[in-house]
């Protein structure tokens, strides 16, 4: 009877651990954290920038007063580089990035955009 109670308790604990571990997102590298959130910023020149991810795709949307740049497609990430293969133009866009907690700095050709974490998937 005591053995049966211990077996039931162990089974319930194991079931609880397995059910909780399957729904927790794991951050093992900077690229994991970058993909987990949407990043955005508004700048003095009137531009609004949004960087977001969905599964293996990345989207960088830059909207200014008179300009619009929309890059979206298959995305590859390392711990400090972001590459988006734009589906519409067929071009590849490469950015360096650095994470600082709730903000990310994107850099390309010496220009730096600082975006803030806005939400999670």
């Amino acid at each position: 009877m005591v053995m049966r109670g211990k077996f039931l308790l162990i089974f319930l604990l194991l079931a609880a651990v397995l059910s909780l571990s399957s729904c927790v997102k794991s951050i093992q590298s900077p690229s994991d954290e970058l993909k987990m959130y949407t990043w955005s910023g508004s700048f003095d020149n009137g531009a609004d920038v949004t960087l977001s991810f969905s599964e293996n795709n990345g989207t960088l949307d830059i909207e200014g007063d008179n300009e619009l740049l929309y890059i979206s497609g298959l995305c590859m990430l390392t711990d400090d580089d972001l590459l988006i293969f734009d589906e519409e133009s067929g071009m590849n866009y490469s950015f360096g990035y650095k994470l600082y907690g709730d903000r990310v700095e994107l850099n390309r050709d010496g220009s730096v955009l600082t975006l803030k974490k806005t939400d999670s998937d």
Side-chain angles (χ1 to χ4, degrees):
M1 190 77 143
V2 172
M3 185 68 106
R4 197 165 138 180
K6 286 182 181 180
F7 177 74
L8 182 60
L9 180 61
I10 291 171
F11 177 76
L12 290 174
L13 287 173
L14 182 60
V17 167
L18 289 175
S19 67
L20 291 175
S21 67
S22 65
C23 61
V24 175
K25 289 185 178 181
S26 173
I27 298 175
Q28 297 178 0
S29 69
S31 63
D32 291 339
E33 184 172 1
L34 187 66
K35 285 182 74 173
M36 193 176 288
Y37 296 94
T38 296
W39 306 84
S40 64
S42 295
F43 299 91
D44 292 340
N45 65 359
D48 292 319
V49 179
T50 304
L51 175 65
S52 60
F53 301 90
S54 175
E55 296 185 20
N56 293 328
N57 290 324
T59 300
L60 179 66
D61 188 9
I62 302 174
E63 295 182 29
D65 291 336
N66 298 323
E67 296 183 32
L68 172 67
L69 176 63
Y70 183 79
I71 303 167
S72 183
L74 185 63
C75 178
M76 291 180 53
L77 289 162
T78 66
D79 288 346
D80 55 6
D81 288 309
L82 161 66
L83 181 63
I84 300 176
F85 301 97
D86 186 45
E87 293 172 351
E88 187 172 315
S89 69
M91 294 182 62
N92 302 328
Y93 294 89
S94 178
F95 303 89
Y97 74 88
K98 291 183 183 177
L99 281 174
Y100 299 99
D102 65 345
R103 66 184 172 91
V104 63
E105 288 183 352
L106 290 180
N107 58 67
R108 179 176 166 99
D109 299 330
S111 297
V112 176
L113 289 176
T114 301
L115 305 176
K116 294 191 177 198
K117 191 183 295 185
T118 57
D119 67 14
S120 64
D121 283 345

